[in-house]
Structures are given as C-alpha cells and as structure tokens.
C-alpha cells in the first residue's frame, strides 16, 4: 500500500467576515481536497493536549502518530535534531534567542531580525567568556540559536520542572517576572546576565546602533529539551517514510523517527514557496517509500500575518500543485491511501497557534465514502468522527478499515 500525507500547516481557522462568513478552507477553491473528502471520510483530531503549548512541534509529533504526552521533551531538542546535533542521554538543548531588552521590557524577541553573521559573532564572544566545557552556543539562523548543555562529569541541572518563557510571549511586556525558574534556572539566568555584559559594547551592537538598528542586548533562554527517545516509525508501523518540508522543526522530527528527508530547491517555508516543485518531488518519491509526507508552512505564515487572502491563495496552491497530482497518481495504484490534515489551528484573528480540533480527510483503499462533499472545519465537525487524542489517527490511517468510530 502507498500512503501520502499532506500537511497544510496551521490551515484550520474560524469563519471570517472578510471571506463572507466562510473559513479559509471553505472559501478556497480546493477541488482535489473536496474530491478526497467525497471519496472517503472527514473528521476532526486534536493534536495538542491542553497542558502542552500549541506549537508545531507538539502538533506534528501527534499528527505523525506519537503521543506528545509521552514523547515530547521540548522544542529545542527537536531543533537540535534538525541541525544534525545529536543529544546523548543527559544532554539538553535550549533555545537561545538574541533579543532586545530595554529598561526590563522585551522590545523585540528577534533583536531587529539580526543577521546570522552578526548573531554568530555575538555568540562567539559569549562562548569565549563562558569558556569551554559542557556549554556550547550553536548559531542557527538570525535570532534563532541554540545552547547545547552536555552532561559531562556533572549532570546538567535542568529538569522537567524547569520553567522558561518564550520571548515572543513577552513582546512589550516587563521581563522581570519571567526569568527561568526551577531546577537549573540559576545557570540559565547567569548565562543571560553574562550576555548582557558581553553584548553591551560589542562591535556588532555599536555598528547596529550607528545604523539605526536595534541592538541584541541579551540572549533569552527558553524551550529547553532533553534528548527525545522516539521509537522509529518503521518499527511501530512496518512502513518507511519520507518528508518534504522547508522547516527545520519538521526536518528534525523526520530524522528522529527515521524518515528520509527530501530537500526541494525553491521550498522556502514562506508564502512564496515553490508549490509545484514540492508536488513534483513528492511524485518522484512515491516509488521509493511507503509513506510520502509533504508539509507546507505557507498557510501558517499567512495567519501569522493576519492575511486571509494569502491564506486562501496558499490553500489553493497546495490543492492544485500538491494534493491534486498526488491524488491522481495514487489512484493509478492497486492500493493507496491519502491523509490531508493540518497540525494545529492558527486563527487569523489571533495570528498565533491555538489549541483545538483540526479537520482531516482520509480516502483510498478500504475507506468507504462517508457522505461529505467538502473538506473544511464545518463539514468535518458535522460528521462526529473525532480523535480527541490526535496521535491515534495515524494508526487508523495506516492499518484500519474505514468507517470506524474514531479512537
Ligand atoms: Zn504548525
């Protein structure tokens, strides 16, 4: 059996006044997704347990069939995997933003979208100050960097009760009450203070101020995670997989579950991504893998910008260039299934990820038509087919005959 999964990141949304009371999925012309809905089943799934943050990390872990309550060990460790950094037992990864804090207020969690080159220089100076041994600052892209804490002679003091705050939740707010707390927080706060000293008169910041740009005044440490122990997908399901995505987080996730990653030139992770190139790459990969998964970040980006029109346009592009050709190619096979589902909702209203159900559509071999004709939030909710623990959907998608009553 051949399987395809298409993930329009964050596409689930609410009815929009600007779209005549329709959700973006309803407003978009998506004949291929609708055909899949008509040929199979639509329902809802909840990928983010109430006590976990509604990030793409937690949500995609669940969508790929892993119980986040059991397997989510923090955002930074997935990002480390994406960069090819291996975490051993007892090692931790911590997100290390470069930020602008002014008078105890978080002015900008991106330090004015500082360049990768400037970020690399700042972190090199901080590394010099901190010295070798156990703590390693790893430059990423722009303000998004990592701190890797290796367990050496002494264990890393961080733990499950360590609390940190994402800097994007603090924009224009006082940071005073939001420094790390709990096990290991002394270490994190110490490093954050050290950065303030090192960065204050750093040539990079001198130049940035002179050019009228925001300086990177501090590092902000958050999103800590220990090494995730994910059983390989092939072990759980006896199927191998391949992932097409432009986003580091998804690349990391794919690596951790033992999937091949297919890089597509022109896949940007933004609204200008080359949809057709992703579609072609997926078609080329069908023969060489059991499960081909295409993740597209664009709908999520459109929501972060609060742009309903761009969200509708992104969905239409995904339908036309990715879902339609995949669905057509699969139907020429003897046995096949397709799953379309976002990871989490990203409402245009709030411009940020949220908890809550997302609509999914499943069609293919041994999936009987369930009587819907469209793929959208309203049609999906109306069926009553629901997976309150979204991670259980993957097993049903791969192995069960449909209809069944959800799980
Ligand atoms: Zn997402």
């Amino acid at each position: 059996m051949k399987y395809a999964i298409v993930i329009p990141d964050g596409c689930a949304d609410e009815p929009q006044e600007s779209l005549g009371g329709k959700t973006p999925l309803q407003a978009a012309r998506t004949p291929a997704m609708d055909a899949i809905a008509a040929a199979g089943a639509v329902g809802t799934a909840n990928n983010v347990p109430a006590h976990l943050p509604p990030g793409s990390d937690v949500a995609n872990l669940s969508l790929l069939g892993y119980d986040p309550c059991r397997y989510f060990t923090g955002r930074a460790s997935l990002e480390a995997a994406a960069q090819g950094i291996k975490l051993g037992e007892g090692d931790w990864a911590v997100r290390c933003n470069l930020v602008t804090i002014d008078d105890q207020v978080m002015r900008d969690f991106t330090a004015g979208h500082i360049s990768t080159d400037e970020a690399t220089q700042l972190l090199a100076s901080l590394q010099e100050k901190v010295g070798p041994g156990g703590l390693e600052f790893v430059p990423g892209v722009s303000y998004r960097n990592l701190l890797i804490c290796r367990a050496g002679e002494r264990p890393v003091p961080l733990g499950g009760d360590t609390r940190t705050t994402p800097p994007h939740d603090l924009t224009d707010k006082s940071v005073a009450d939001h420094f790390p707390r709990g096990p290991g927080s002394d270490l994190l706060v110490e490093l954050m203070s050290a950065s303030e000293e090192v960065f204050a008169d750093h040539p990079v910041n001198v130049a940035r101020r002179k050019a009228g740009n925001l300086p990177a005044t501090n590092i902000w440490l958050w999103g800590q995670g220990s090494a995730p122990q994910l059983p390989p997908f092939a072990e759980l399901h006896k199927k191998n997989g391949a992932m097409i995505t432009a986003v580091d987080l998804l690349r990391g996730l794919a690596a951790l579950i033992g999937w091949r990653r297919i890089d597509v030139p022109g896949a940007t992770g933004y609204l200008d991504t080359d949809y057709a190139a992703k579609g072609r790459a997926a078609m080329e990969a069908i023969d060489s893998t059991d499960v081909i998964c295409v993740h597209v970040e664009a709908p999520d980006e459109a929501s972060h910008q609060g742009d309903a029109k761009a969200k509708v346009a992104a969905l239409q592009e995904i339908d036309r260039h990715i879902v339609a050709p995949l669905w057509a190619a699969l139907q020429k096979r003897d046995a096949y299934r397709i799953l379309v589902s976002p990871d989490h909702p990203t409402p245009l209203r709030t411009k940020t990820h949220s908890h809550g159900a997302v609509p999914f559509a499943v069609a293919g071999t041994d999936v009987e038509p369930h009587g819907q004709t469209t793929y959208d939030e309203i049609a999906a909710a109306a069926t009553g087919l629901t997976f309150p623990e979204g991670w259980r959907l993957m097993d049903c998608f791969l192995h069960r005959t449909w209809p069944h009553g959800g799980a």
Side-chain angles (χ1 to χ4, degrees), residues 294-317:
V294 187
H295 165 265
V296 188
E297 184 75 354
D300 186 66
E301 275 302 318
S303 268
H304 286 311
Q305 295 173 15
D307 190 337
K309 262 196 189 148
K311 192 162 185 179
V312 168
L315 286 167
Q316 294 183 166
E317 294 291 304

Side-chain angles (χ1 to χ4, degrees), residues 9-10 56 60 300 343-344 353:
D9 199 296
S56 289
N60 281 292
D300 186 66
D343 44 355
H344 51 73
H353 304 171

